[in-house]
Amino acid sequence: GQNIDQPTEMTATEGAIVQINCTYQTSGFNGLFWYQQHAGEAPTFLSYNVLDGLEEKGRFSSFLSRSKGYSYLLLKELQMKDSASYLCAAMDSNYQLIWGAGTKLIIKP
Amino acid sequence: GAVVSQHPSRVICKSGTSVKIECRSLDFQATTMFWYRQFPKQSLMLMATSNEGSKATYEQGVEKDKFLINHASLTLSTLTVTSAHPEDSSFYICSARSSGAQETQYFGPGTRLLVL
């Protein structure tokens, strides 16, 4: 079957670095997305990876290993506003999104 | 496994026709469902919030007469794109929010609409 796994909740300190992992199993693969969602708001697109490797975008980086079915989102220099849920979603061969349940990130001062 | 399903997964239609997309919560009752539209590599754009048994709340700029939403039961919401035009071609995603002590939002796999 198709499945996405990511931790339910993580806690980190302001100014630190946190890595949110995501493993996926899909029928075919057309890329992996990361979204940020603040409570009561629509998810905001953060990154899209379809090739192996690390893509850096400011304080946020996303990594993909297709052979391992693994991705992570790396957040540096954490700010209080980074407290949110982070959703991992893989696109299968039919261009359907398989969603993870989301990781709630709590930032402490 | 999936907790929210959408049907159809993809649809191609002629300009001027209407298309209905279903969103179902499989293992829970959802008093609130959301409809989003996504353009490639962009954030999900919230179109409307659908509450069971009442009228949907549309976001600014979304035509309620064009995008008809019905949330007739606690497990089903439908989005009907009326008189579809090529500019309506997009990826439509629904989500359902479970009720209870810990509300969680679950997203559907999306419906790819292509209007010719």
Side-chain angles (χ1 to χ4, degrees):
Chain A
Q2 306 201 99
N3 194 49
I4 302 279
D5 281 316
Q6 57 180 124
T8 305
E9 186 173 296
M10 298 182 72
T11 302
T13 306
E14 191 176 15
I17 299 173
V18 71
Q19 177 175 311
I20 303 174
N21 296 324
C22 171
T23 57
Y24 63 89
Q25 290 177 304
T26 56
S27 302
F29 181 73
N30 276 301
L32 189 123
F33 297 79
W34 282 97
Y35 294 88
Q36 179 193 60
Q37 185 177 27
H38 286 100
E41 298 180 13
T44 304
F45 170 81
L46 292 178
S47 67
Y48 171 72
N49 294 64
V50 68
L51 300 175
D52 285 352
L54 183 69
E55 293 212 5
E56 298 183 69
K57 221 188 261 186
R59 293 190 299 114
F60 292 6
S61 303
S62 57
F63 172 83
L64 177 68
S65 169
R66 293 181 64 150
S67 62
K68 294 181 180 178
Y70 167 69
S71 172
Y72 68 71
L73 180 70
L74 190 71
L75 293 77
K76 302 177 185 175
E77 300 169 18
L78 287 170
Q79 301 175 10
M80 297 303 292
K81 66 178 183 179
D82 297 330
S83 292
S85 284
Y86 291 85
L87 298 159
C88 168
M91 185 166 273
D92 67 13
S93 57
N94 292 319
Y95 297 95
Q96 295 279 278
L97 284 172
I98 314 301
W99 294 86
T103 298
K104 183 178 180 181
L105 179 62
I106 300 168
I107 310 295
K108 295 186 174 178
Chain B
V3 294
V4 174
S5 69
Q6 283 184 238
H7 177 79
S9 57
R10 67 177 81 178
V11 57
I12 301 173
C13 68
K14 292 182 180 179
S15 184
T17 60
S18 294
V19 175
K20 181 187 282 189
I21 302 170
E22 293 184 351
C23 176
R24 292 182 186 274
S25 59
L26 301 181
D27 299 322
F28 64 98
Q29 294 183 329
T31 53
T32 304
M33 288 184 171
F34 305 89
W35 286 96
Y36 299 90
R37 185 172 176 176
Q38 178 164 27
F39 296 98
K41 296 186 184 181
Q42 293 188 26
S43 300
L44 273 64
M45 184 194 81
L46 180 64
M47 299 174 66
T49 302
S50 166
N51 291 300
E52 187 266 338
S54 63
K55 291 184 178 180
T57 303
Y58 289 81
E59 296 299 303
Q60 195 169 13
V62 178
E63 299 176 60
K64 62 180 181 180
D65 295 329
K66 182 170 183 61
F67 298 99
L68 301 178
I69 291 172
N70 186 292
H71 193 157
S73 78
L74 287 171
T75 58
L76 173 65
S77 176
T78 60
L79 168 68
T80 301
V81 184
T82 62
S83 187
H85 288 98
E87 58 266 27
D88 298 324
S89 298
S90 190
F91 195 47
Y92 292 87
I93 298 172
C94 76
S95 71
R97 187 165 68 194
S98 64
S99 56
Q102 195 162 7
E103 290 189 345
T104 305
Q105 193 175 14
Y106 298 96
F107 289 85
T111 296
R112 192 167 295 274
L113 171 64
L114 177 61
V115 184
L116 302 176

